[in-house]
Amino acid sequence: MSSAPSRTFGLNLPEYPWEAMAPYVQLASQHPDGAVNLSIGTPVDPTPALIREALAAAADAPGYPTTHGTQSLRAAIAAWYARRRGVPGLDPQDIMPTVGSKELVAWLPLLLGLGEGDVVVRPTVAYPTYDMGAVLAGATPVAADDLEELDDDVRARVRLVWVNSPGNPTGIVRSAAALRSLVGSARAAGAVVASDECYAELGWGAWDPSEGGSPVPSILDPAVSGGSNELLLSVYSLSKQSNMAGYRAAFVAGDGAIIANLVNSRKHAGMIVPAPVQAAMRAALSDDAHVAAQKDLYRKRRELLVPALEAFGLRIHHSEAGLYLWATAGEDTWTTVERLAKLGIVSGPGSIYGSAGDGFVRIALTGSDERVAAAARRLAAAGG
């Protein structure tokens, strides 16, 4: 009796890029005062009490939650867009919670029905999951910051355009005029624009309303959208502003027909945000004070790290918003990563964000006050 030929099961994806950091994490751990891990932007401060209380109050949840989200959650999200993002009158029907924003980034091309021959455009320096989402759907990822950079054949096949403003890792903010131009080009090509806006509350300098700056514009702002959400999706996460990364709490809003289709597809696939998390999201989105308090913590850490990094010989590029400082010493990325690791500081290698990130490192603000202060002292001493 012959056996069936053996085969390998599983997806043939590249190794997760952060695995390359293992030796540098080990090197940094040998520092006598311990490692300061400023590589991954995972929040370290406590989840606010009002959010934890809302989660606990909703813990008795024996029934299935709704894929579309509760009416009260969607109303809270719509009110938040009007209050914080300059998007009035958003229909709660055109909103859907997601299990964190990363799963939506990874699965959106597939859920939009994209496949072989279709092109997904992402920024030239970008979060790697934009590419992986295209790969999972069988589409082709292409790096470009403007559709006019593409040749006619590629532009004709564009079906999804990712914009990330404020950008990860660069901290670039696109103005309303720049976003409006991109929307016009994408609509002319019949492509969806998905805007990953999860750092929007973390603007600095000219983009810091609490210090006299302007709010970071949303893709759904009428000054960008022209008053129509057709072919537009705004993606947002509460991980950063509310320290809810462990809750996997995010949402998408925009084009009503696309949202309705996503809700239906996700019902079939079982992609549902748990009911207690939906209740916690509603509480978080109804309170602005904890967001301002958290931002103040990040502002102080940023003000410590910027001069210390510059004293060490790094030049800060962009970084107008978000949780990261995008920096270069004018040398190979891994040389800088190693030099920082010898100081016990773990950084993020810019090269994992695309070839345009070569030579850069990403420094996160997501360390405790004590650890950030330790990093600043080490950097300043080494630079001096």
Side-chain angles (χ1 to χ4, degrees), residues 115-158:
E116 185 176 356
D118 295 328
V119 167
V120 175
V121 174
R122 53 85 167 170
T124 52
V125 183
Y127 184 47
T129 308
Y130 302 130
D131 279 355
M132 285 300 98
V135 170
L136 287 167
T140 302
V142 172
D145 294 316
D146 190 319
L147 297 191
E148 303 309 311
E149 299 172 15
L150 306 175
D151 62 40
D152 291 344
D153 174 65
V154 173
R155 191 161 59 247
R157 294 186 290 118
V158 173

Side-chain angles (χ1 to χ4, degrees), residues 33 36 304 343 345 368-379:
D33 185 38
V36 180
L304 271 180
L343 297 180
I345 298 170
S368 68
D369 289 347
E370 184 275 329
R371 288 289 81 189
V372 167
R377 288 194 299 272
R378 297 175 196 178
L379 290 163

Side-chain angles (χ1 to χ4, degrees), residues 272-291:
I272 312 173
V273 176
V277 174
Q278 293 192 36
M281 291 173 67
R282 186 175 72 250
L285 289 160
S286 301
D287 178 77
D288 298 333
H290 78 277
V291 179

Side-chain angles (χ1 to χ4, degrees), residues 15-65:
E15 184 177 53
Y16 192 59
W18 285 99
E19 299 300 328
M21 283 299 298
Y24 302 98
V25 172
Q26 176 62 29
L27 176 60
S29 71
Q30 297 170 17
H31 192 279
D33 185 38
V36 180
N37 194 332
L38 303 179
S39 62
I40 299 178
T42 185
V44 298
D45 300 304
T47 304
L50 69 99
I51 297 171
R52 288 182 277 132
E53 289 164 3
L55 182 79
D60 183 12
Y64 289 109

